[in-house]
Amino acid sequence: MNNPDFTRLVEETFTETKQLLKVKGGEYAAEQDRLANFNRGALLTGMPRLSVAFVYLSKHYDAISREVQDRAAGITREKSESFEGRIHDLINYCLLLKAIIREDDSAFDDKEV
């Protein structure tokens, strides 16, 4: 892939993932707290919200892994989401994981002062 095509791919991906974050954020999180669904998941499971987010992220990683293995083996199967859609989800979960880490680290830093 040449550099201009790759630059377009990156820009398309950022546009698509930002739109996906907006839409899914409205479905899963409150307007005041973008991480509300992870907080609810933590309450439901007793797990730290970082672990909850990692479990959600892992689902998409697993689906991507399965697709890579299928493609290598020449297997095709019906899917609920496109391969690119799974990649977009994984990118977004990495961002959400980063938000949790930043918020947790900020709270920890505030306690140290």
Side-chain angles (χ1 to χ4, degrees):
M1 177 176 285
N2 63 40
N3 283 328
D5 287 346
F6 183 75
T7 298
R8 264 190 303 284
L9 173 85
V10 169
E11 290 169 0
E12 283 174 15
T13 301
F14 288 161
T15 299
E16 291 171 14
T17 54
K18 281 174 69 173
Q19 179 61 25
L20 191 60
L21 269 174
K22 180 181 175 185
V23 170
K24 288 196 175 186
E27 293 176 10
Y28 294 113
E31 286 186 27
Q32 298 82 14
D33 184 3
R34 184 54 184 86
L35 304 173
N37 60 319
F38 302 109
N39 297 331
R40 289 190 306 269
L43 288 173
L44 286 169
T45 63
M47 294 170 35
R49 66 185 183 156
L50 187 61
S51 297
V52 171
F54 183 74
V55 168
Y56 294 175
L57 177 150
S58 297
K59 176 181 154 260
H60 297 289
Y61 177 84
D62 186 60
I64 290 168
S65 176
R66 174 84 275 157
E67 176 73 16
V68 169
Q69 292 171 14
D70 283 353
R71 286 180 180 220
I75 297 169
T76 58
R77 65 180 84 226
E78 191 173 352
K79 298 168 194 71
S80 64
E81 281 189 55
S82 71
F83 193 30
E84 285 194 9
R86 294 286 186 185
I87 293 168
H88 295 156
D89 283 334
L90 185 61
I91 290 167
N92 284 339
Y93 273 104
C94 287
L95 291 170
L96 291 161
L97 206 64
K98 184 177 179 178
I100 291 169
I101 291 166
R102 182 156 303 169
E103 192 171 80
D104 287 353
D105 286 353
S106 174
F108 182 75
D109 291 344
D110 291 344
K111 289 178 184 175
E112 285 188 335
V113 173

